[in-house]
Amino acid sequence: MYEKAPETIWWNGSLVPWDRARVHVTSEVAMRGTNVFEGLRAYWQPESEQHVVVHLHRHLARLAQSARLIRLPQAESAESVARLLDGVPELIRALRHRGDLYLRPTLYIDEGRYGWRSGQVKLGCYIAGYPTDPRVDRPMSCVVSSWRRSPDLAVSPLAKVGAAYQAFRLPRIEAAMAGADEAILLNTNDTVAETGGAAVFLVRGDTVVTPPLADGVLDGITRGIVIDLLRSRWGMKVVERSVPRSELYVADEVFVCGTLDEVRIVSSVDAVPIGGGTWPVAEGVRALYLDICAGQQDPVDPAMLHTVSSAPPGPDLQDRSTGSPPL
Ligand SMILES: Cc1ncc(COP(=O)(O)O)c(C=O)c1O
């Protein structure tokens, strides 16, 4: 967590001092976590002195989808999403940070209870932006959690709803208690779903396998980018199919991908080493993904990188904060 927060936050259409963005303790968002959110990365490209946001429009389209899935009022949600779209570049410029940023556009119920008709609730929205932590290059260790990914008929894994992330708290504690970096969750059919923040991929010979959305997987934006890269840059076969737990232990390679994790190699699952110390496919995808975000290689889809030209140089936000964005 932050010792010192950023000075500025975008809140309901305006840039305001961080401490001004408040909700009441009894509000629906504070009490039941009724919000939908996105996590975006804005990569700083020093040669061109600009930030590039990865798939800004796709992220905000998914935010609108999450709002629809939990039946936030549609007209008000659409209006807020349009404001958030403008707010992202505004905030990036205002932060004046010459480095990578993590941004969290969020839409929440400020006033009113479970109501879903227009007029019954008042929505609020904000975007918080943080300098990202230094990248962790080492491969990570995972455990398979004893907790399950919530089924579609409970809280849909397709919706990024704040309250739903409570379901990742205990798996993460379980992983930490086992001395591992991350937990992989199975779904209620006992096949592999995902981690609390990333899609899971397995390399099996010349084929790469990842669980389908129906197996309790968020429609991950990085997941889509990685599938495109594997197919179009290396001609690899990528198959979306259910993955039994045991297959994790015998895969040639396992890696995860998501906005925050980017592409991370998994070196062990439940203390079983994966891949014998080399992970050529995962290392290749990771390097290519990071090069694209750094502007050193072209993306498969030119719409992937949304450019935000920088404001005149100002004080560096990184100097004033530490730690990672609150997950
Ligand atoms: C549960 C979950 N799975 C996967 C992901 C990765 O998705 P993306 O690549 O769109 O960041 C995230 C992050 O948003 C997530 O919260």
Side-chain angles (χ1 to χ4, degrees), residues 165-215:
Y165 281 69
Q166 286 303 320
F168 298 122
R169 180 175 159 80
L170 297 184
R172 286 213 161 122
I173 291 173
E174 194 178 25
M177 288 178 74
D181 296 309
E182 184 55 291
I184 295 174
L185 279 83
L186 306 181
N187 54 39
T188 47
N189 293 325
D190 295 345
T191 64
V192 174
E194 60 183 347
T195 76
V200 178
F201 284 74
L202 287 74
V203 181
R204 306 280 284 143
D206 60 1
T207 303
V208 179
V209 178
T210 193
L213 301 190
D215 281 1

Side-chain angles (χ1 to χ4, degrees), residues 145-165:
S145 178
S146 59
W147 301 97
R148 293 293 186 266
R149 182 74 172 107
S150 71
D152 190 57
L153 293 182
V155 180
S156 172
L158 295 179
K160 274 181 75 72
V161 179
Y165 281 69

Side-chain angles (χ1 to χ4, degrees), residues 59 62 149 160 165 168 194-199 218 220-223 257-259:
H59 275 283
R62 192 172 64 187
R149 182 74 172 107
K160 274 181 75 72
Y165 281 69
F168 298 122
E194 60 183 347
T195 76
L218 180 75
I221 286 157
T222 324
R223 177 182 184 274
C257 69
T259 298

Side-chain angles (χ1 to χ4, degrees), residues 265-285:
I265 296 159
V266 174
S267 53
S268 67
V269 179
D270 293 332
V272 177
I274 311 293
T278 56
W279 308 276
V281 174
E283 278 164 358
V285 186

Side-chain angles (χ1 to χ4, degrees), residues 20-161:
R20 276 256 319 275
R22 289 173 184 270
V23 293
H24 196 268
V25 285
T26 63
S27 66
E28 184 61 21
V29 61
M31 198 164 124
R32 275 180 277 257
T34 313
N35 67 61
V36 292
F37 69 99
E38 278 297 320
L40 308 173
R41 266 191 194 256
Y43 288 90
W44 174 246
Q45 298 190 344
E47 295 83 35
S48 52
E49 300 248 312
Q50 63 187 17
H51 281 96
V52 293
V53 182
V54 175
H55 275 313
L56 174 62
H57 289 88
R58 274 195 206 170
H59 275 283
L60 287 182
R62 192 172 64 187
L63 186 73
Q65 175 182 288
S66 298
R68 190 178 183 80
L69 284 168
I70 65 160
R71 307 216 181 175
L72 294 183
Q74 285 306 291
E76 289 86 341
S77 297
E79 202 182 300
S80 300
V81 170
R83 290 164 90 195
L84 287 163
L85 192 59
D86 292 338
V88 167
E90 251 181 77
L91 179 66
I92 291 174
R93 287 195 194 96
L95 292 176
R96 292 165 161 249
H97 176 61
R98 296 160 73 81
D100 296 347
L101 290 164
Y102 181 74
L103 299 145
R104 181 155 285 173
T106 303
L107 180 59
Y108 60 92
I109 293 190
D110 190 5
E111 285 174 20
R113 299 240 166 271
Y114 287 126
W116 56 274
R117 290 188 185 87
S118 305
Q120 287 185 333
V121 296
K122 184 173 150 248
L123 300 183
C125 56
Y126 70 85
I127 310 165
Y130 312 87
T132 54
D133 285 338
R135 183 166 290 128
V136 182
D137 283 324
R138 84 180 152 75
M140 66 179 184
S141 56
C142 287
V143 291
V144 176
S145 178
S146 59
W147 301 97
R148 293 293 186 266
R149 182 74 172 107
S150 71
D152 190 57
L153 293 182
V155 180
S156 172
L158 295 179
K160 274 181 75 72
V161 179

